[in-house]
Amino acid sequence: MNPKSIEARRRDENPFDGLKIATSDILNTLERRSPCPRCGKSRMYFCYTCFVPISELESNIPSCKLPIKVDIIKHKREIDGKSTAAHAAVLAPNDVRVFTYPDIPSYEKEERVVLLFPGKDACTVRELYTGRDNSASYAENLLAELPQGYNVGTLMKKVFQNNKDENEIYHSDVLPVDRLVLIDSTWNQSRGIFADSRLQVIPKVVLQNRVSQFWRHQKCSPRWYLSTVEALHQFLLELHICAWGCDEGYTTELTMNCPVHSKEFHSQCYPYNGQYDNLLFFFKFMYEKIHTLYKHEDMLAYKRPMEV
């Protein structure tokens, strides 16, 4: 998709329209940095090393309760202040842990953990519920359509669709995973972390296509390379909607093709109604702040092609 196309412009005009994200007016009242309540370093809004809000915001920012635990593995050269991993850790402090590679946990004994990464054996979120079928695999289909100069590992967001039962709601009693592991780094850095034997034992999962609104440009990457907090939000969205569907009153660009939960009685179901949207609280605020300084069409991050 051409980034100047009508569809691309439509996606960019109101990227957060319909999402249930708390108002960020309190952030606009801050005029200067404040010391972190833990480490004492000068910070604006939150501390990206201690993962806590500054004292003035402590009771004024939303908190997110996630349905699973999340581990984010950060490359040691990833710039803390530019990463969105801190957004998730600040907003969901009881459910998100951040580690700096190579100091990471061992997952060998955990059975219900997945790694968000396009390994050759990666499955879709829906396949966490259905299991694999006998159709061509994710990797096999990618290999058939790779453009020159790419390999299966570089297509982070290009997912083959079988269109089989893609609108089915499973009315699950429990979710199929307990923990998600994310790698927070540039794409080149992430491949080195992914090779670690402690991560190789974890089943891999990939996401459906979603256009990134991240303002940080990564050279030679398409628009469907998501920032860390966008990827986490997308995973939880897919996980939740496969299990319980989407609330009929919740309409966004991200869920326009998602199955809507009917009014039939399923006491275990909690249709998606924005439960994890506040993970984008800081992301939306910073996106809007940056867009008061720069024109969207002039920023390199938004000139990247939608597809390879």
Side-chain angles (χ1 to χ4, degrees):
M1 184 190 303
N2 188 313
K4 296 182 180 180
S5 69
I6 294 176
E7 184 179 353
R9 290 198 300 270
R10 179 174 58 80
R11 290 183 181 185
D12 285 341
E13 283 175 358
N14 297 293
F16 307 103
D17 189 36
L19 296 177
K20 295 190 174 181
I21 302 174
T23 177
S24 57
D25 289 348
I26 185 66
L27 302 182
N28 287 314
T29 66
L30 301 178
E31 298 179 351
R32 61 182 183 278
R33 291 172 173 265
S34 300
C36 168
R38 290 189 184 174
C39 68
K41 293 181 180 178
S42 179
R43 299 292 191 234
M44 195 75 174
Y45 312 123
F46 58 85
C47 181
Y48 45 76
T49 51
C50 299
F51 309 122
V52 293
I54 61 171
S55 299
E56 290 90 331
L57 297 178
E58 201 162 9
S59 60
N60 291 294
I61 63 169
S63 60
C64 293
K65 172 61 179 173
L66 306 187
I68 60 173
K69 300 300 182 183
V70 177
D71 287 354
I72 299 175
I73 300 173
K74 183 174 68 70
H75 194 280
K76 62 184 178 181
R77 291 206 301 269
E78 183 69 5
I79 301 172
D80 291 337
K82 292 184 177 181
S83 169
T84 64
H87 298 191
V90 173
L91 294 165
N94 296 322
D95 299 314
V96 176
R97 304 185 299 180
V98 180
F99 300 92
T100 301
Y101 187 79
D103 298 324
I104 65 174
S106 172
Y107 299 100
E108 188 172 0
K109 296 182 180 180
E110 287 199 52
E111 295 182 355
R112 289 165 48 86
V113 56
V114 293
L115 172 66
L116 185 59
F117 201 89
K120 65 180 181 179
D121 299 320
C123 70
T124 65
V125 174
R126 185 163 291 275
E127 285 175 323
L128 294 174
Y129 293 85
T130 64
R132 295 277 191 167
D133 57 28
N134 293 323
S135 60
S137 71
Y138 164 77
E140 288 168 342
N141 281 287
L142 285 178
L143 289 171
E145 55 182 85
L146 286 177
Q148 184 176 2
Y150 282 80
N151 62 59
V152 68
T154 63
L155 293 181
M156 182 176 287
K157 300 290 290 124
K158 197 170 182 63
V159 180
F160 180 79
Q161 296 281 9
N162 281 324
N163 295 322
K164 180 181 178 182
D165 301 326
E166 67 177 23
N167 289 316
E168 184 173 350
I169 299 171
Y170 298 105
H171 308 292
S172 304
D173 291 318
V174 295
L175 297 174
V177 296
D178 294 326
R179 186 180 303 279
L180 171 70
V181 181
L182 285 156
I183 297 176
D184 178 58
S185 69
T186 64
W187 180 241
N188 288 333
Q189 292 168 346
S190 70
R191 292 174 67 81
I193 296 175
F194 173 69
D196 192 293
S197 60
R198 290 169 292 181
L199 298 182
Q200 286 293 311
V201 300
I202 307 176
K204 287 74 178 176
V205 65
V206 289
L207 301 176
Q208 300 303 312
N209 286 352
R210 169 170 169 174
V211 175
S212 175
Q213 297 297 335
F214 195 27
W215 49 90
R216 185 181 176 190
H217 179 56
Q218 286 197 41
K219 188 176 180 181
C220 298
S221 66
R223 280 288 299 278
W224 32 261
Y225 273 27
L226 299 179
S227 67
T228 298
V229 76
E230 287 177 298
L232 174 57
H233 180 263
Q234 178 66 22
F235 178 85
L236 294 174
L237 190 71
E238 292 185 36
L239 190 72
H240 193 118
I241 289 175
C242 283
W244 303 310
C246 193
D247 188 274
E248 61 184 356
Y250 183 84
T251 305
T252 70
E253 182 72 31
L254 297 176
T255 58
M256 62 184 302
N257 296 317
C258 292
V260 175
H261 195 283
S262 67
K263 292 184 178 179
E264 60 187 280
F265 181 71
H266 294 284
S267 60
Q268 77 278 15
C269 289
Y270 300 91
Y272 192 75
N273 196 22
Q275 285 91 328
Y276 320 124
D277 289 356
N278 272 327
L279 283 172
L280 301 175
F281 174 75
F282 288 118
F283 187 91
K284 177 177 180 287
F285 170 75
M286 293 178 181
Y287 173 94
E288 292 172 345
K289 193 175 185 68
I290 286 171
H291 278 70
T292 64
L293 302 173
Y294 306 99
K295 291 182 178 180
H296 185 92
E297 59 270 19
D298 292 340
M299 297 176 67
L300 288 176
Y302 306 116
K303 291 183 178 182
R304 296 176 296 167
M306 294 289 188
E307 298 176 357
V308 290

